[in-house]
Structure formats: C-alpha cells, structure tokens
Amino acid sequence: GMANPQETDGLFQILQEKVANTFITAQFQDTRKMAMASVYAALQAGVDRFDTSAGGLGGCPVAPGATDNVATEDVVNMLNTLGIETGIDVKKVCEAVSLIAPHVSRPIDTGMYWLFRNGQL
C-alpha cells in the first residue's frame, strides 16, 4: 500500500535475478497515488502481469490504511499508450465500472472513468 517507484524497481530487479523464469505478478494499492508510477517501474523491471481492479475498488487487509487498488482502466490505458497490447477494451471496463459505481460508498475517480463519464472516451 505504500510502494514507490524506486522501491518497486529495486524489488523486482532482485526478484527477476533470483527467480528467473518464474511468473511474477505485481499488485499495487493507490494509497499515496503512486500505483501507476509503481506499475511503470515494475514493467521496466520486467514484470508483465498485473493484478488490477475495475474502478480501483478494494483495499488491503495487510497494510493498515491502504486504500484503492490500482485501476484496471488506467493501467490498460497506460499500457496501450506504451504500445503494449492487452486485448482489454478500456471503454467496456468503464461501462462495467458505471454499473458498479452507484452501489459503492465512495465516488470512483479514476482517470479513464472520469473521461468516460464526461463523454471524452
């Protein structure tokens, strides 16, 4: 819930060396609004699998105070802008988030969902 890009890069560089040829998946909370930067750092360190959550919903029972998972729609958009094909339709993810949004106790404020809600996606 509190990773930063430098820590992320260091950890995944070590893991890539120690457990080569092992599937590594990264998962980040966005408690301090560092999740997207940490996803990018993990990607640069060779991670190519990420656990995300539509609308950024969720938290972490292990890290006290950790809020919001990194949003699927924002990660997919970033990967697409980097030329990495995911096969995931960002607009369809946002449509799913719009079905969930009225039923959660806090506003969903991810970047791509904001664009979707405002007719810019």
Side-chain angles (χ1 to χ4, degrees):
M2 296 182 231
N4 69 50
Q6 185 176 13
E7 294 166 334
T8 298
D9 179 66
L11 173 64
F12 286 111
Q13 292 287 348
I14 291 168
L15 286 174
Q16 293 289 16
E17 292 171 14
K18 300 281 184 191
V19 293
N21 301 317
T22 301
F23 286 117
I24 296 175
T25 302
Q27 188 270 338
F28 299 98
Q29 258 70 50
D30 206 17
T31 305
R32 296 182 179 163
K33 301 301 179 201
M34 297 292 279
M36 289 296 294
S38 292
V39 168
Y40 186 75
L43 185 66
Q44 295 299 100
V47 176
D48 61 3
R49 295 165 48 111
F50 297 91
D51 180 22
T52 64
S53 176
L57 296 174
C60 179
V62 178
T67 61
D68 303 339
N69 289 301
V70 67
T72 301
E73 59 274 21
D74 289 345
V75 172
V76 169
N77 178 66
M78 180 181 71
L79 295 173
N80 288 343
T81 63
L82 293 171
I84 299 169
E85 179 55 46
T86 64
I88 299 170
D89 185 326
V90 172
K91 189 171 183 178
K92 288 187 188 272
V93 174
C94 288
E95 289 171 1
V97 171
S98 72
L99 297 174
I100 299 166
H103 305 284
V104 297
S105 61
R106 61 151 181 88
I108 295 176
D109 63 356
T110 68
M112 293 310 294
Y113 185 60
W114 185 91
L115 291 173
F116 174 80
R117 282 191 335 256
N118 290 286
Q120 297 179 35
L121 178 64

